Amino acid sequence: MPWRKAWGLTRETLPVMLCALAGLLLSGMELDHMTTWKTFSKVDKFLILVPIMLNLKGNLEMNLSLRMATAANIGEIDNCRTRQLIVSGNMWLLQVQALIVASVAGILSFGLGAKESHGDQPDLTMRGPLHSGKPILDKTARLRDGYFEFALVLAVSQLAASMSSAVQGSFICALVVWARKSGFDPDNMVIPIAGSLGDLCTLTLLGLIGAGLLYFEGTGIATLLFLGLITLCVVFMLATLRNVYVRELLACGWAPLFVATGLSSLAGVILEKNASQYPGYPLLAPIVAGMPSIAAAVHTSRLTSSLHAHTFRANTRPAHPSYMPLQEQVIEDSTSPPQRLDPASPFHLVWWKQFGSQLVDSLQPQIDEWTTPITIILNVVLIQAIFMLILRGIGSLQFGVMFYMCVIVLVSILSVFALFFAHTLCLFLWYWDYDPDTTCMPFTTAIVDVCAQLILLLAYKMAQTLGDRIIAL
């Protein structure tokens, strides 16, 4: 019966979603506190880097969770030797992906930060001691937007991503194996924890590593660290190529990660502009973005497992979709033999007709059952409502009824959109013969991150327009 299925799903997902809420809450509190650190005030690129890194790490770890959950549900990790190869191969692959995309994230955040500060003329001098002969120069301000700051941002992003991937990847693989042996569904348990504790781990490492390396800015240590991590990336890549279970994945899934990184940079700019203008904004941002993304990831993980296990029959392309049966062309000269056209060429009308037909077919709504998405959305809305009340109860954030209602309604809308988008994109990718385990969640989480920043900003503006006051304590 539907209510029994809903209860079974809630029984497995609600506890881990509450753990995810705790992780996201700690991440928000940590981010709110880190915005006042000297490291983030001196190197503003780190604040832009935060949502990019969180989205990057979330995508990598969610992709790992999806792959491991699918492997568990179809029985690939039941054999000890196969399990060892799959786990080790995925860990090497995770390191390669983290180091490469972290480099892109560092370059992107530095470029955005340098563009925003272009034209500013900061005062590079600080008041020195009394009767000092010459002013003391602030080294960080002197090196701002230069090579050494660029190397610092790159080294911090790469080292934080690598260390966080090692910790979180090991935890995810161990949790999937434990869930499989204990009779739980990894799709329900692994994704929420991967999406929340990973943010906390990444934020902590990013802040600590950034604060530590800032003292050595201008010494070349960041450059040596960057070169060493690039060398490690090559070593991890060679190890991945030797693993038969994951070496094909080394060439797949890069475009979604890079597109997601670019979209997350927009969320980073929004966060950097509004973190100090609206009270409690950094505290709420990880929760508002995290819970809908986790809900979409849980649904996607269950859907991809059903697709790979063939328990859900979705639309797929024909066996050879690029080549329709060759058509005969009637030639006016009856003495000439019939010519055969190749409709695979986009210069033929029949190619466009076939492509349009397949595109419409791939976007057709296909719903196996409604119990799972409705249950997941209700759980997310309930958790968000409880979270807002907890914030008000402990005194971390004071707000009125209007702000509370604005946040709950907008998060509910975002959760529905996230599940709808993830479901449609997953089936669309499956139709066109792409693996949703590696391509679906990066697009989904990146778009949800940007939308979350916008709806949170909208909630603040609506509440303030209606006369509500928000006070962060």
Side-chain angles (χ1 to χ4, degrees):
M1 296 179 66
W3 67 269
R4 289 185 178 178
K5 185 175 182 179
W7 166 244
L9 179 61
T10 302
R11 184 179 56 189
E12 290 190 5
T13 58
L14 188 59
V16 291
M17 279 190 173
L18 291 174
C19 293
L21 174 65
L24 292 173
L25 176 59
L26 292 175
S27 299
M29 296 174 65
E30 186 175 11
L31 179 60
D32 192 27
H33 180 66
M34 285 168 61
T35 54
T36 62
W37 285 13
K38 184 187 299 184
T39 304
F40 285 79
S41 61
K42 288 189 173 183
V43 185
D44 55 349
K45 285 80 174 176
F46 285 151
L47 193 57
I48 300 177
L49 181 64
V50 166
I52 303 177
M53 282 291 293
L54 294 185
N55 181 271
L56 157 69
K57 294 298 287 88
N59 286 328
L60 295 179
E61 288 151 5
M62 283 186 182
N63 285 346
L64 174 64
S65 302
L66 290 172
R67 293 196 302 268
M68 291 298 298
T70 299
N73 286 323
I74 64 178
E76 285 187 347
I77 65 172
D78 292 341
N79 180 270
C80 180
R81 176 58 180 166
T82 304
R83 180 170 63 247
Q84 291 177 355
L85 291 174
I86 291 176
V87 170
S88 61
N90 276 283
M91 290 299 297
W92 302 136
L93 176 64
L94 184 64
Q95 286 293 321
V96 174
Q97 292 175 331
L99 288 171
I100 292 178
V101 187
S103 301
V104 177
I107 295 172
L108 194 58
S109 61
F110 180 84
L112 291 172
K115 183 178 180 180
E116 286 190 357
S117 61
H118 182 69
D120 295 341
Q121 299 294 332
D123 186 9
L124 301 183
T125 62
M126 298 178 61
R127 185 178 299 275
L130 192 62
H131 307 302
S132 176
K134 55 183 180 180
I136 300 175
L137 293 179
D138 184 2
K139 181 179 67 174
T140 304
R142 189 176 70 251
L143 299 176
R144 187 177 185 182
D145 297 338
Y147 166 76
F148 287 107
E149 188 180 61
F150 174 70
L152 174 67
V153 174
L154 271 182
V156 169
S157 62
Q158 279 197 319
L159 187 57
S162 179
M163 294 178 64
S164 178
S165 295
V167 174
Q168 190 70 3
S170 302
F171 179 74
I172 289 172
C173 292
L175 186 60
V176 169
V177 174
W178 174 82
R180 177 67 175 177
K181 290 184 176 181
S182 302
F184 295 104
D185 189 351
D187 291 327
N188 299 335
M189 301 186 62
V190 179
I191 296 294
I193 296 179
S196 60
L197 297 184
D199 289 353
L200 180 61
C201 182
T202 303
L203 261 180
T204 303
L205 290 172
L206 185 64
L208 294 177
I209 294 172
L213 289 181
L214 184 63
Y215 288 100
F216 302 98
E217 187 181 10
T219 62
I221 291 180
T223 302
L224 294 176
L225 187 59
F226 169 73
L227 294 176
L229 290 171
I230 291 296
T231 304
L232 280 179
C233 182
V234 175
V235 174
F236 293 143
M237 188 179 299
L238 294 176
T240 305
L241 290 173
R242 296 180 60 184
N243 191 294
V244 295
Y245 289 96
V246 297
R247 61 187 176 192
E248 293 182 356
L249 299 175
L250 196 59
C252 302
W254 291 105
L257 289 175
F258 288 132
V259 171
T261 303
L263 290 174
S264 297
S265 64
L266 178 59
V269 173
I270 298 174
L271 174 63
E272 193 268 338
K273 287 183 176 297
N274 298 295
S276 58
Q277 296 184 14
Y278 296 97
Y281 191 98
L283 179 63
L284 293 175
I287 309 292
V288 173
M291 293 308 298
S293 296
I294 289 174
V298 171
H299 180 66
T300 302
S301 182
R302 293 174 60 89
L303 182 58
T304 55
S305 294
S306 299
L307 291 172
H308 284 95
H310 303 292
T311 57
F312 176 42
R313 298 286 182 176
N315 294 338
T316 56
R317 299 174 74 189
H320 299 284
S322 298
Y323 299 93
M324 292 181 62
L326 297 178
Q327 306 290 331
E328 292 186 355
Q329 182 182 22
V330 179
I331 308 298
E332 293 183 0
D333 186 4
S334 58
T335 59
S336 301
Q339 297 183 4
R340 299 167 72 84
L341 295 177
D342 183 8
S345 172
F347 295 102
H348 293 82
L349 180 61
V350 66
W351 186 92
W352 287 102
K353 289 182 178 180
Q354 180 199 26
F355 176 75
S357 175
Q358 292 181 352
L359 184 62
V360 171
D361 191 30
S362 65
L363 293 174
Q364 286 183 356
Q366 303 171 69
I367 303 295
D368 185 30
E369 46 86 23
W370 289 94
T371 305
T372 297
I374 292 176
T375 303
I376 293 174
I377 291 173
L378 291 178
N379 286 337
V380 170
V381 174
L382 176 63
I383 290 173
Q384 185 70 40
I386 294 174
F387 165 72
M388 295 294 292
L389 294 177
I390 291 175
L391 282 184
R392 181 177 174 83
I394 63 178
S396 297
L397 192 66
Q398 296 297 322
F399 50 84
V401 177
M402 297 310 302
F403 182 70
Y404 179 80
M405 295 303 300
C406 288
V407 171
I408 298 302
V409 171
L410 291 175
V411 168
S412 303
I413 295 174
L414 181 60
S415 300
V416 173
F417 167 76
L419 261 71
F420 171 78
F421 182 82
H423 184 91
T424 304
L425 181 60
C426 182
L427 295 179
F428 176 82
L429 294 169
W430 182 263
Y431 181 91
W432 293 99
D433 201 25
Y434 291 97
D435 189 1
D437 283 339
T438 58
T439 52
C440 182
M441 285 314 300
F443 291 117
T444 303
T445 54
I447 292 176
V448 170
D449 277 353
V450 176
C451 293
Q453 300 292 336
L454 294 176
I455 69 165
L456 184 57
L457 182 61
L458 178 62
Y460 271 96
K461 290 185 177 296
M462 289 175 60
Q464 291 177 352
T465 302
L466 295 173
D468 203 348
R469 293 185 60 190
I470 301 100
I471 303 174
L473 302 178

